[in-house]
Amino acid sequence: MVIVMKANAADSHIRHVVSRIEAAGLSTCLSRGQGRILIGIVGDRRLIAALPVEVFPGVERVLPVTDSYKLASRQFRSEDTVIDTGGVEIGGGNLVVMAGPCAVESRAQLLEAAEIAREGGAQFLRGGAFKPRTSPYSFQGLERQGLEYLAEAREATGLKIVTEVVDVTSVAMVAEYADVLQIGARNMQNFRLLQAAGQAGKPVLLKRGIAATISEWLHAAEYILSEGNYKVALCERGIRTFEDYTRNTLDLSAVVAVKKLSHLPVIVDPSHGTGRRELVCPMAMAAVAAGADGLMVEMHPKPSEALSDGSQSLDPDQYRELMAAVSSLAAFLRQAM
Ligand code: PEP
Ligand code: MN
């Protein structure tokens, strides 16, 4: 349920409403919509129904939140969420780029990739230290050593670090090093992991599951939000369809749909979304045109030597071309809209 306060509601009215709700054992979330303060209430439905919120001073009206994901819903919060990741914001009109190799393979590879990512204008370095691989015989990641290299690369370049956490037991370790915890497509409905990532308090990038509907994806985000962690960004990375020319089918309509249904920022990953490096730049531009808040792209100093996802990784020149194309498109769109 969302309480719409009157345009002239005093601060004391807002404080009174919040304290009455919290005294009933419920939690609140304040936002601003059309010049008014909105107070979202979450918690047990019976406790909410028992509160006489309509008659509290300063209240204009009370709206039900009909979506079954509540905290993720635009009905609950009309403003776009902007996530502060410690100096770099995700959402709110800045196009962020997260670039780097699929996996952290060695110190030299990662530091070289980080330097290329920084020079090209990315704000985040990506790279998995824990890799969820289809085959148990494929490279599984350098684990803590990989996280150490990521931290060193952050020191060297100033880039923020986004890296994947694959299970509950490693959340604390990954959160020690990462600026943003990535939850991968295969783990989108690992509800215990979502809760643990929510409790870790770090911003979370939640990738869309390989066969997840938009509704399932938003419900997965709700698991993180309901732990009191509102720093959640969604990442469209393609879904499994009958098409096998591409690795996945990048669902750009989901960017537009999710931004209507939810206030959370949406990042697009055209690397996993297509699986083919020649499609990455055009689909990155299409994602920006569709209103994405950012991009995640795989880039490797030598893609032919990559231990994972080489065929979808850009080489340094292709990465620089993508950055130039995307930043001029973003500038054009800003002045055209
Ligand atoms: C990745 O980003 O390297 C990755 C494994 O992505 P996804 O979970 O989208 O497959
Ligand atoms: Mn990858």
Side-chain angles (χ1 to χ4, degrees):
M1 167 190 290
V2 175
I3 300 172
V4 182
M5 298 300 288
K6 290 184 178 149
N8 61 357
D11 284 351
S12 59
H13 291 150
I14 296 163
R15 281 197 302 275
H16 173 251
V17 174
V18 169
S19 68
R20 289 287 302 271
I21 297 166
E22 293 183 349
L26 297 159
S27 30
T28 57
C29 170
L30 256 63
S31 62
R32 190 174 286 279
Q34 290 151 10
R36 274 139 213 263
I37 292 289
L38 307 179
I39 305 175
I41 316 181
V42 252
D44 188 321
R45 276 186 206 160
R46 284 158 306 175
L47 293 177
I48 297 175
L51 268 181
V53 277
E54 290 85 354
V55 300
F56 290 163
V59 170
E60 182 174 285
R61 73 205 136 93
V62 179
L63 304 172
V65 177
T66 49
D67 292 332
S68 61
Y69 44 85
K70 305 286 176 197
L71 298 168
S73 169
R74 227 348 134 195
Q75 293 176 347
F76 190 80
R77 188 184 151 89
S78 54
E79 300 157 82
D80 287 341
T81 284
V82 179
I83 301 171
D84 181 10
T85 63
V88 175
E89 290 184 341
I90 303 178
N94 318 297
L95 184 79
V96 290
V97 178
M98 304 170 171
C102 179
V104 180
E105 298 170 1
S106 68
R107 180 171 180 272
Q109 171 248 17
L110 188 73
L111 293 178
E112 190 180 351
E115 195 46 47
I116 298 164
R118 185 198 61 77
E119 272 178 10
Q123 294 79 16
F124 286 83
L125 174 66
R126 62 144 289 140
F130 292 88
K131 293 306 303 174
R133 303 304 300 281
T134 300
S135 163
Y137 309 119
S138 302
F139 176 60
Q140 302 286 313
L142 298 180
E143 305 193 354
R144 190 185 282 276
Q145 184 66 75
L147 296 171
E148 293 279 349
Y149 296 151
L150 286 165
E152 188 180 344
R154 169 174 48 211
E155 279 298 304
T157 59
L159 293 175
K160 300 285 174 197
I161 301 300
V162 52
T163 194
E164 182 164 353
V165 56
V166 293
D167 54 25
V168 172
T169 49
S170 54
V171 169
M173 191 208 296
V174 178
E176 235 181 87
Y177 296 89
D179 297 295
V180 175
L181 299 176
Q182 177 175 327
I183 304 237
R186 290 155 194 79
N187 266 319
M188 187 206 84
Q189 284 189 315
N190 180 341
F191 300 119
R192 294 279 177 254
L193 178 59
L194 299 174
Q195 287 167 327
Q199 288 158 15
K202 283 269 164 102
V204 177
L205 181 72
L206 176 64
K207 289 195 149 195
R208 182 176 182 182
I210 288 167
T213 64
I214 288 172
S215 167
E216 286 163 344
W217 190 17
L218 291 173
H219 280 93
E222 192 78 8
Y223 269 87
I224 304 168
L225 297 165
S226 64
E227 294 298 327
N229 183 349
Y230 298 120
K231 296 182 174 182
V232 177
L234 301 164
C235 179
E236 163 60 41
R237 48 76 73 207
I239 47 175
R240 180 75 60 91
T241 67
F242 55 81
E243 181 55 69
D244 62 1
Y245 177 78
T246 46
R247 180 176 179 184
N248 289 291
T249 297
L250 187 65
D251 181 9
L252 290 183
S253 64
V255 177
V256 185
V258 165
K259 289 185 73 72
K260 275 198 195 308
L261 295 169
S262 176
H263 49 84
L264 298 174
V266 183
I267 305 295
V268 170
D269 172 353
S271 306
H272 294 87
T274 63
R276 290 175 169 258
R277 75 168 68 81
E278 71 279 12
L279 299 185
V280 169
C281 182
M283 294 315 286
M285 292 176 74
V288 172
D293 296 289
L295 299 167
M296 172 174 263
V297 289
E298 287 187 338
M299 173 271 287
H300 194 288
K302 296 187 191 76
S304 60
E305 293 173 17
L307 296 182
S308 61
D309 289 350
S311 58
Q312 66 192 36
S313 299
L314 302 177
D315 68 24
D317 284 339
Q318 290 165 328
Y319 163 69
R320 287 186 276 268
E321 282 160 25
L322 174 142
M323 292 303 280
V326 154
S327 64
S328 49
L329 175 61
F332 168 77
L333 290 172
R334 266 196 300 273
Q335 59 137 74
M337 313 274 271

